[in-house]
Amino acid sequence: MRRVLWTLAVVLTALGAGASHAGDDEVEAGTTGTGIMGVITGLGSIHVNGHRIALSAGLEAVSSLGSRPAAELGVGETVVVEAAPVEGVLHARHIRNYYPLVAPVDAVSDSTLRLLGIELDVSEVAFGGLAAGDWVAVSGLWRGDSVVVSDLRPIAPRDTVVVNGSFTQGSGGVQRVGPFALDGRYVAHAEAGDQLRVVGTWSATDG
């Protein structure tokens, strides 16, 4: 089964190093300079990828779903943080929620969800009450062609799905974001490992 994302918009996002295409045993996360990408593991400030980052009053966390106070972020959410040191303490200047997948649920079992044809292990997160057709924003990091899920956020139904992932270009010029082949628009000026946010409609085709 070849998964195809019919592209409506492609947006380059600066996520920092370590966010290159992940192999089967690698998870996408990393740090470059003051750019930090990872899963929130602690609060009282936030702890991301081994860094404690202070949050200023009024700071917003933005995403393709809109914005909300950074103080509402919780453990398990995935973020990309631009930060700068102040008197030895990192202070967040900009925070973006990183959702590898924003899409409707295809199917639910005891420990897995299927979204966009991908089976996700959700045995480590709360997902009670979700059913096929419900929309979710998935927090986590890519590992190969799947996501290590760290949090699930139910959301209102949307007209389009969102995929955030590493860009690759294979033989024959096929361009991909994560495991999804792009169709409908050629992405110029992107290099392997660049993080792209793709907004569009999805279909699965044989091939």
Side-chain angles (χ1 to χ4, degrees):
M1 184 68 70
R2 180 168 58 93
R3 293 181 288 273
V4 180
L5 192 70
W6 296 88
T7 309
L8 300 181
V10 179
V11 183
L12 277 169
T13 54
L15 298 187
S20 59
H21 182 70
D24 289 343
D25 297 323
E26 293 181 281
V27 174
E28 294 188 336
T31 304
T32 292
T34 57
I36 302 166
M37 173 183 179
V39 176
I40 295 175
T41 57
L43 299 175
S45 302
I46 57 175
H47 297 256
V48 180
N49 204 30
H51 298 271
R52 178 180 175 273
I53 306 168
L55 303 178
S56 301
L59 184 66
E60 297 278 305
V62 301
S63 75
S64 55
L65 304 179
S67 63
R68 60 194 174 113
E72 294 181 2
L73 292 168
V75 170
E77 295 192 65
T78 315
V79 290
V80 181
V81 184
E82 295 175 16
V86 178
E87 297 181 350
V89 177
L90 283 175
H91 286 255
R93 290 181 170 177
H94 183 271
I95 298 179
R96 172 174 289 277
N97 270 105
Y98 177 82
Y99 299 119
L101 300 171
V102 178
V105 175
D106 298 332
V108 183
S109 72
D110 290 341
S111 60
T112 63
L113 295 182
R114 188 172 72 239
L115 276 73
L116 305 185
I118 299 177
E119 297 289 339
L120 302 177
D121 181 351
V122 291
S123 58
E124 300 298 319
V125 298
F127 69 101
L130 286 177
D134 291 342
W135 279 74
V136 293
V138 178
S139 284
L141 298 167
W142 287 100
R143 175 180 285 160
D145 287 345
S146 191
V147 176
V148 180
V149 179
S150 55
D151 190 59
L152 293 170
R153 177 183 171 190
I155 62 171
R158 297 165 47 91
D159 293 330
T160 55
V161 301
V162 180
V163 174
N164 285 284
S166 292
F167 173 80
T168 57
Q169 182 162 315
S171 59
V174 176
Q175 296 185 328
R176 295 180 180 272
V177 172
F180 298 96
L182 298 177
D183 194 16
R185 177 177 297 183
Y186 182 81
V187 181
H189 310 301
E191 298 181 357
D194 284 348
Q195 289 287 310
L196 300 186
R197 183 172 76 252
V198 185
V199 181
T201 56
W202 175 84
S203 65
T205 62
D206 294 326

